[in-house]
Amino acid sequence: MNVVLTKTETQRPASDVFAGVRDRLPGRGKAAEAREQAFAAFERAGLPHRRLEDWKYTDLRALMRDVLPLAAAPDKNALERAEAALASLPAVDAVRVVLVDGAFAPTLSNLGGMETGVRVQTLREALEDGNHADLLSNGSEPGAMIALNAAMATDGLVITVADRVAIAKPLHIAHVATRGSTASFTRSFLTIGKAAQATLLESFVAAEGTKSYQVNDVISVSVGDDAEVQHVRLMDDGADATNITTAVFSVGAKARLTTFNMTSGGILSRYQGHLTFSGEGAEVNANGVNLLNGRQHADTTLFLDHAVPHCMSREVFRSVVDDRAQSVFQGRIIVRPHAQKTDAKMMTRALLLSDEAEADNKPELEIFADDVTCGHGATTGALDESLLFYLRARGLPEKEAEALLIQAFVGEAIEAIASDGLRELTVTIARAWLERRG
C-alpha cells in the first residue's frame, strides 16, 4: 500500500514561505541540512491542534491558521520606529541587546561595560562560521513550533558567562516588531558557568501602528552547578499579534533558578517552558501572571522534570481575565523513579472580572518515586465583594478599588522577582494594563 502525505491548507503557506526564504537564512552545509530536517518535521506534524493533549486549549490550526511571510531585514525606517518604541518603555538599568523583526540591531544595542568572561555573539554569526549547526537542533524537546523555529530562525544571541563571573547589570534582550503581516523567528542560547550569577530580562513590544504580526521565539538556558539565574519575560506585544515562545532550562547541581513570565499583550500567545533538573540540590521558582481583556487568548504551559533526587520546585501562577478573554495554565510536574526527596508544589489562581471570561487550569503530577513531598491546587473566582465594599466605603471609586485588589492578587507571583528594578518594572507594566482597562 502506498502512503502519500497530503498537505493541509494551513501547511501550504508555510511551505511557500520556507521555499522563498531558505537562501537568505544564515548558515550553509550542515546548518542548511538541519533546517531542511526541521522543516520536514514541522510538515509531518502541522500546526498543533486540540487533539494533542498539550494543545487542547490552544488550537493553532483554528486560532493562527497559517504562517505569515518572513519579515524583511530592518531598514532605516524600521530602526527609527523601533527606537521610538524602545524609548516608550519604562527605564531600566541594564545592558541591552535589541532584535528588530528578528534581526540583531547593533545601533540600538548597548553592550559596553560587560564583565570579563562574558561573550555575546549573534546567532547569525555563529551559524555563518560553519561550526554550529547544532544550534538548530531541538534536543530532547520535540514539537512542531520548535521545529518551525529551527527551520526559519534568522537571528538571536549566543551568550556565554564563564565560571564564577557575576554580571552586575541585567542583560536585556528586547524584541521589537515594526512590520505588520509578517513573521519573525529568533533563537537564543544562554550558558551560565559554575558558581556564576546572571539576570536575564526579555521584553516583546511593537512599534506604533504595527499590526497582525507573528513572533516565534526559542530560548535555551543552561545553568551551571552552584550558579544563580533570574529570568524575567515581559510580553506586551501589539493588540493583534501572535507570540509563540519556547523556553528550555537545564539546572545544574545546587543551582538556583527563578523564572517569571507576564503576558499582557497580543491577541494569541503561548509561553511553554521545559525545565529539567540535571543536578542534585537545585531549586527552581517558576512564576507567572496573565493580564487579559478583550478577546485575548494566552496559554502558559510549564513542564518541570525532576530527573534527580533532592531538588525543590515552586510554581505560583495568577491570571486576571476580563471581557471575553481566555487564560490557560497547564503545569505538569514529573518525578522520575530515582528522584527521591523531591519537594515540588504548584498553585494556580484565576480571577474572572466578567461573566464571559474563561480560565482553564490544568495542574498535573506524575510521580514515580515514593519518598517525595508534592502538591498542587487550582482556584477560580471573582473579586471579593466584601473587600470591594470595604474599600469603596472608605472613599475609593469602584475602578480604583478593583485595581487595588487586582494588584494584591498578582502581587504574590511578582514578589518572587529578586531584583528591585525588574520587580518595579513589572509592577509598572501591570499598572499600565489596569489603566488601559479603565
Side-chain angles (χ1 to χ4, degrees), residues 310-358:
H310 300 283
C311 292
M312 184 185 79
S313 66
R314 294 290 184 270
E315 293 179 62
V316 176
F317 184 77
R318 299 287 184 268
S319 60
V320 181
V321 196
D322 201 358
D323 302 326
R324 301 182 66 180
Q326 180 180 3
S327 175
V328 176
F329 174 80
Q330 299 181 106
R332 182 185 304 162
I333 296 174
I334 304 173
V335 182
R336 302 294 177 179
H338 300 292
Q340 305 293 351
K341 301 297 182 181
T342 288
D343 182 359
K345 293 180 174 62
M346 168 173 44
M347 188 65 194
T348 172
R349 300 184 188 275
L351 182 62
L352 303 182
L353 302 181
S354 80
D355 293 337
E356 295 180 302
E358 179 178 343

Side-chain angles (χ1 to χ4, degrees), residues 158-238:
V158 181
I159 302 170
T160 304
V161 180
D163 294 349
R164 292 175 291 280
V165 171
I167 301 180
K169 293 183 179 181
L171 180 62
H172 180 193
I173 302 177
H175 301 257
V176 187
T178 69
R179 299 182 187 275
S181 301
T182 62
S184 64
F185 298 83
T186 49
R187 195 174 184 91
S188 297
F189 298 84
L190 180 63
T191 302
I192 308 298
K194 294 180 180 180
Q197 297 179 18
T199 299
L200 175 65
L201 168 65
E202 289 187 279
S203 59
F204 294 81
V205 295
E208 185 176 358
T210 308
K211 298 181 179 180
S212 302
Y213 61 90
Q214 295 174 353
V215 173
N216 185 322
D217 178 60
V218 170
I219 183 166
S220 176
V221 181
S222 176
V223 184
D225 296 348
D226 296 299
E228 295 185 13
V229 175
Q230 288 188 76
H231 172 246
V232 178
R233 178 182 180 271
L234 304 175
M235 200 286 275
D236 195 23
D237 270 312

Side-chain angles (χ1 to χ4, degrees), residues 110-172:
N110 173 25
L111 287 171
M114 291 292 291
E115 287 82 357
T116 302
V118 180
R119 183 171 184 264
V120 180
Q121 186 181 25
T122 67
L123 179 70
R124 177 175 288 274
E125 291 172 344
L127 292 175
E128 288 182 343
D129 72 13
N131 297 319
H132 296 284
D134 58 310
L135 296 177
L136 299 177
S137 169
N138 294 332
S140 61
E141 307 300 340
M145 301 310 290
I146 307 177
L148 180 62
N149 177 278
M152 301 284 289
T154 54
D155 214 342
L157 300 169
V158 181
I159 302 170
T160 304
V161 180
D163 294 349
R164 292 175 291 280
V165 171
I167 301 180
K169 293 183 179 181
L171 180 62
H172 180 193

Side-chain angles (χ1 to χ4, degrees), residues 1-209:
M1 180 176 64
N2 293 326
V3 178
V4 179
L5 293 177
T6 303
K7 298 179 182 179
T8 66
E9 289 301 321
T10 57
Q11 290 173 293
R12 287 196 182 97
S15 301
D16 295 342
V17 169
F18 184 65
V21 301
R22 55 161 57 95
D23 292 337
R24 58 173 273 212
L25 297 172
R28 296 291 180 266
K30 292 183 178 180
E33 293 175 7
R35 290 187 185 276
E36 295 286 350
Q37 294 171 4
F39 190 77
F42 169 75
E43 280 199 303
R44 287 193 296 269
L47 290 174
H49 50 84
R50 65 175 64 252
R51 291 191 296 277
L52 301 174
E53 183 63 25
D54 292 338
W55 292 83
K56 65 179 295 184
Y57 299 108
T58 305
D59 188 340
L60 292 191
R61 288 189 181 179
L63 297 172
M64 180 174 159
R65 298 189 65 83
D66 57 20
V67 178
L68 293 175
L70 189 65
D75 55 16
K76 180 180 179 181
N77 178 261
L79 293 175
E80 290 175 350
R81 295 177 64 228
E83 185 175 16
L86 293 170
S88 66
L89 293 176
V92 57
D93 187 16
V95 176
R96 189 172 70 184
V97 186
V98 181
L99 299 170
V100 178
D101 299 323
F104 174 61
T107 58
L108 301 181
S109 301
N110 173 25
L111 287 171
M114 291 292 291
E115 287 82 357
T116 302
V118 180
R119 183 171 184 264
V120 180
Q121 186 181 25
T122 67
L123 179 70
R124 177 175 288 274
E125 291 172 344
L127 292 175
E128 288 182 343
D129 72 13
N131 297 319
H132 296 284
D134 58 310
L135 296 177
L136 299 177
S137 169
N138 294 332
S140 61
E141 307 300 340
M145 301 310 290
I146 307 177
L148 180 62
N149 177 278
M152 301 284 289
T154 54
D155 214 342
L157 300 169
V158 181
I159 302 170
T160 304
V161 180
D163 294 349
R164 292 175 291 280
V165 171
I167 301 180
K169 293 183 179 181
L171 180 62
H172 180 193
I173 302 177
H175 301 257
V176 187
T178 69
R179 299 182 187 275
S181 301
T182 62
S184 64
F185 298 83
T186 49
R187 195 174 184 91
S188 297
F189 298 84
L190 180 63
T191 302
I192 308 298
K194 294 180 180 180
Q197 297 179 18
T199 299
L200 175 65
L201 168 65
E202 289 187 279
S203 59
F204 294 81
V205 295
E208 185 176 358

Side-chain angles (χ1 to χ4, degrees), residues 275-287:
L275 301 95
T276 301
F277 290 90
S278 56
E280 295 186 25
E283 295 182 10
V284 167
N285 285 280
N287 301 333

